[in-house]
């Protein structure tokens, strides 16, 4: 019977401490039933058959308040840790993980054996993420993550950034392909994101695709909008990014146009076209922008057009 002991499983080296409970060894099988009620409630139960290099492990781990910290990240397999770091997560979660290990034989066998970790994670307290693919900080997260060796699924994730409410779902999947030329794992990423009442701020500008970041000082938006975004990344196909922006009431644009000088005719310069209370639907798809049912006020007059189209270059130039 264990009282206030510590443990580290070498295939998932996350330190567990203040564990109490029975460990029973019978007929080459070690049965574990431990719990810790100190600080962060946690239980670990299961069996280890044939302890040693031929061990067959089945462990069930539950934690009610697990911090997403460096200790947890370091315990993850390197390929999993690399994916986790792309989302820069922090906060406390409820977690239920199943850890299994089987020995391997043959020419391609590995000393650590065949290890599998499957986990369900419930975002619970002060959780935040910032995904590198769309780097916009989301706070106060709730929702659920399902983690498997080759696939991560997040469902009904909901959070905030200031007055904006943001929901997200998606899948990050490691494909059974050779590593990429840069040494990275071949990942297939499908992310759907929706935001209500998202303000036009510098933080939003920094999160948008390069072309929109460059164009921002030209159109100078203000106010707020609703956003629907879909990001699809795969080494097997070109990247597809679709962002639908619907301005809210009292959103404005201050378009700055620069004229090239023409000797003897026009000295050139910059002039401003203010567009007030802009309404409509703006769809960005891989550099192409379509506009539908757009109307706004220009120096007191009403302007409306049913459709429009523009193409944005990474330099910020559009036509």
């Amino acid at each position: 019977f264990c009282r206030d002991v510590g443990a580290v499983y070498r295939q998932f080296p996350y330190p567990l401490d203040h564990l109490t409970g029975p460990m029973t060894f019978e007929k080459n099988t070690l049965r574990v039933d431990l719990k810790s009620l100190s600080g962060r409630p946690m239980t670990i139960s299961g069996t280890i058959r044939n302890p040693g290099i031929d061990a067959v492990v089945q462990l069930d781990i539950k934690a009610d308040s697990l911090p997403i910290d460096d200790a947890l990240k370091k315990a993850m397999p390197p390929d999993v840790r690399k994916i986790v770091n792309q989302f820069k997560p922090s906060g406390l979660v409820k977690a239920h993980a199943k850890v299994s290990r089987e020995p391997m034989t043959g020419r391609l066998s590995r000393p650590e054996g065949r290890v599998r970790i499957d986990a369900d994670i419930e975002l619970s307290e002060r959780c935040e993420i910032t995904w590198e693919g769309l780097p916009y900080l989301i706070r106060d997260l709730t929702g659920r993550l399902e983690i498997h060796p080759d696939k991560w699924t997040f469902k009904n994730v909901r959070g905030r950034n200031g007055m904006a409410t943001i929901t997200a779902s998606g899948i990050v999947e490691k494909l059974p392909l050779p590593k990429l030329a840069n040494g990275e794992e071949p990942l297939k990423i499908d992310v759907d994101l929706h935001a209500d009442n998202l303000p036009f701020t510098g933080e939003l500008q920094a999160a948008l695709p390069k072309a929109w970041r460059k164009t921002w000082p030209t159109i100078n938006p203000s106010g707020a909008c609703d956003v629907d975004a879909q990001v699809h990344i795969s080494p097997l196909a070109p990247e597809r990014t679709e962002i639908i922006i619907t301005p809210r009431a009292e959103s404005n644009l201050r378009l700055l146009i620069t004229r090239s000088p023409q000797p003897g005719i026009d000295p050139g310069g910059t002039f401003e076209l203010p567009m007030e209370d802009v309404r409509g639907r703006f769809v960005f798809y891989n550099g192409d922008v379509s506009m539908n049912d757009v109307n706004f006020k220009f120096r007191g007059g009403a302007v409306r057009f049913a459709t429009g189209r523009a193409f944005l270059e990474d330099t910020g130039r559009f036509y």
Side-chain angles (χ1 to χ4, degrees), residues 282-298:
F282 300 81
V283 181
F284 172 91
Y285 184 79
N286 287 5
D288 188 84
V289 179
S290 59
M291 297 160 277
N292 299 283
D293 297 323
V294 176
N295 59 84
F296 56 89
K297 294 179 182 177
F298 178 70

Side-chain angles (χ1 to χ4, degrees), residues 267-288:
T270 301
F271 64 96
E272 179 179 310
L273 296 176
M275 303 177 184
E276 300 176 342
D277 197 16
V278 178
R279 306 291 183 93
R281 191 169 183 264
F282 300 81
V283 181
F284 172 91
Y285 184 79
N286 287 5
D288 188 84

Side-chain angles (χ1 to χ4, degrees), residues 18 34 107 130 133 136 151 188 207 231 256 278-279 298:
H18 305 294
L34 303 175
R107 184 173 57 86
T130 305
Y136 191 78
K151 181 182 291 187
K188 181 176 182 289
V231 179
L256 297 180
V278 178
R279 306 291 183 93
F298 178 70

Side-chain angles (χ1 to χ4, degrees), residues 4-69:
D4 201 26
V5 302
V8 176
Y9 177 46
R10 65 176 182 174
Q11 304 299 347
F12 188 78
Y14 182 77
L16 306 174
D17 51 22
H18 305 294
L19 294 170
T20 299
M23 295 179 65
T24 306
F25 186 74
E26 183 179 6
K27 294 182 179 179
N28 294 329
T29 298
L30 177 65
R31 298 186 183 278
V32 179
D33 189 7
L34 303 175
K35 64 179 60 178
S36 171
L37 300 178
S38 174
R40 303 189 297 269
M42 179 179 294
T43 63
I44 176 169
S45 61
T47 60
I48 303 173
R49 290 192 291 114
N50 304 319
I53 61 173
D54 294 325
V56 177
V57 179
Q58 296 287 339
L59 294 177
D60 193 275
I61 303 171
K62 295 180 181 179
D64 288 340
S65 185
L66 185 68
I68 307 174
D69 55 12

